[in-house]
Amino acid sequence: MIKKQKYCPDIPTCSVDYAFRRIGGKYKGRILWYLHEFTVLRYGELSRTIPDITTKMLTQTLRELESDNLINRKVYKQVPPKVEYSLSEIGKELIPFIRYLKEWGDSRIKNETNKNTKNTSHNNL
Amino acid sequence: MIKKQKYCPDIPTCSVDYAFRRIGGKYKGRILWYLHEFTVLRYGELSRTIPDITTKMLTQTLRELESDNLINRKVYKQVPPKVEYSLSEIGKELIPFIRYLKEWGDSRIKNETNKNTKNTSHNNL
DNA sequence: AACAATACATACTTTTTAGTATGTAGCATA
DNA sequence: TATGCTACATACTAAAAAGTATGTATTGTT
């Protein structure tokens, strides 16, 4: 007899899982990082900082970050509209971790590049 | 005239992005974390440790981690087969960050639980 | 000959995530 | 009256990720 494969509802299995759900997705990491680097960014500024994001995804992602309490959204009542985004206190707690990840990524990229260089130019003594 | 929305190929935009691609996905974080906690795990042990993963996803995810050099795969030539997985040196570099993330998740979950408790039982002086 | 053990492979379907294109609000200025 | 500015909304489509079900290989044991 064959064991049936798993079918599992939406239990937040563990805290690693919980955390990844909040910062996963294609753009969340970068948005959080830029909000850290620039402290406050308007919608249009974010859009220009992350040139490969569409307005749909930018809005959607910002909404998710907001409802997870990772960022603040400040609306100025004026025309044309002005909306500012910044990290919340909880969002700021994630910065050391994103920094670590970024540095890891940097060193990995550097390492890979070195390897490629070596491969194409060995025997150059 | 309306600005055209972005269409972008597969450039690894930045190191934050690069890193997230390697540890994103539904199970990568947990697999790495368990390999850290147990040092070495066989395929079946991993499967039992992460009960909500299917064999397809487990295999697929392990292959990705392997090709990104984050884990080692050791095959014993015997029947029935035996395969052991463990963290590579590069994979180990990710542990502090996953630990941090896990702790953040734990404290967030605790916090949310507290809030709910407070809401349903305030005025209990 | 049938079955158990282990670590997968694979075809197919469903769900989730992301992308495309276009529209809206409200006031200011040409 | 038309256009611009800014921050979106929304309908629809496409692509990526995940899930379901079932099959395979090898060898020892019953």
Side-chain angles (χ1 to χ4, degrees):
Chain A
M1 214 252 218
I2 290 156
K3 222 197 293 171
K4 224 170 122 196
Q5 288 278 41
K6 317 305 161 23
Y7 55 98
C8 237
D10 205 39
I11 345 154
T13 323
C14 74
S15 47
V16 175
D17 212 52
Y18 172 96
F20 267 104
R21 286 193 200 177
R22 268 134 248 262
I23 53 152
K26 202 167 174 181
Y27 305 103
K28 283 185 180 176
R30 277 196 281 166
I31 289 178
L32 292 171
W33 183 250
Y34 290 132
L35 286 179
H36 163 67
E37 281 203 315
F38 297 99
T39 313
V40 174
L41 285 173
R42 293 180 61 178
Y43 184 90
E45 292 173 329
L46 270 168
S47 175
R48 268 166 268 129
T49 309
I50 306 174
D52 57 324
I53 200 172
T54 62
T55 65
K56 185 210 163 202
M57 285 311 293
L58 180 53
T59 303
Q60 188 177 307
T61 308
L62 288 169
R63 291 292 130 80
E64 287 174 26
L65 291 171
E66 199 196 346
S67 79
D68 284 336
N69 300 309
L70 301 182
I71 62 171
N72 303 311
R73 181 167 181 267
K74 186 172 181 185
V75 183
Y76 293 82
K77 286 213 162 182
Q78 60 184 55
V79 169
K82 177 179 177 183
V83 181
E84 286 181 346
Y85 293 91
S86 58
L87 291 178
S88 71
E89 289 309 308
I90 299 173
K92 283 178 190 167
E93 291 175 13
L94 289 169
I95 295 306
F97 132 78
I98 296 179
R99 190 199 312 279
Y100 187 100
L101 198 54
K102 184 180 152 52
E103 282 164 10
W104 181 84
D106 279 332
S107 83
R108 282 292 90 214
I109 290 170
K110 216 173 283 175
N111 217 288
E112 280 177 16
T113 311
N114 278 352
K115 259 186 198 158
N116 291 344
T117 309
K118 268 188 200 156
N119 282 346
T120 52
S121 68
H122 62 30
N123 270 358
N124 57 341
L125 51 121
Chain B
M1 215 254 215
I2 290 157
K3 222 198 291 172
K4 221 169 125 197
Q5 289 280 43
K6 315 309 158 25
Y7 53 100
C8 239
D10 206 39
I11 345 154
T13 324
C14 72
S15 47
V16 175
D17 213 51
Y18 171 96
F20 267 104
R21 285 194 200 176
R22 265 133 250 264
I23 53 152
K26 202 168 176 181
Y27 304 103
K28 284 185 179 176
R30 278 195 280 164
I31 289 179
L32 292 171
W33 183 249
Y34 291 131
L35 286 180
H36 163 67
E37 282 202 316
F38 297 98
T39 313
V40 174
L41 285 173
R42 293 179 60 177
Y43 184 90
E45 292 172 329
L46 269 168
S47 175
R48 269 166 266 130
T49 309
I50 307 174
D52 56 323
I53 200 172
T54 61
T55 66
K56 185 209 163 201
M57 284 313 292
L58 180 54
T59 303
Q60 188 177 306
T61 308
L62 287 170
R63 290 292 130 79
E64 286 173 28
L65 291 171
E66 199 196 347
S67 79
D68 285 335
N69 300 309
L70 302 182
I71 62 172
N72 302 313
R73 180 168 182 269
K74 185 172 181 185
V75 183
Y76 292 83
K77 285 211 163 185
Q78 59 183 57
V79 169
K82 178 177 175 184
V83 181
E84 286 181 345
Y85 293 92
S86 59
L87 290 178
S88 70
E89 289 309 308
I90 298 173
K92 283 178 190 167
E93 291 175 13
L94 288 169
I95 294 306
F97 136 79
I98 297 180
R99 189 199 313 279
Y100 190 103
L101 198 54
K102 184 179 152 52
E103 281 164 11
W104 180 84
D106 279 332
S107 84
R108 281 292 89 215
I109 291 170
K110 217 173 281 174
N111 217 289
E112 279 176 16
T113 310
N114 278 351
K115 257 186 197 158
N116 292 343
T117 310
K118 268 190 199 154
N119 282 344
T120 52
S121 69
H122 61 30
N123 272 357
N124 58 342
L125 51 121

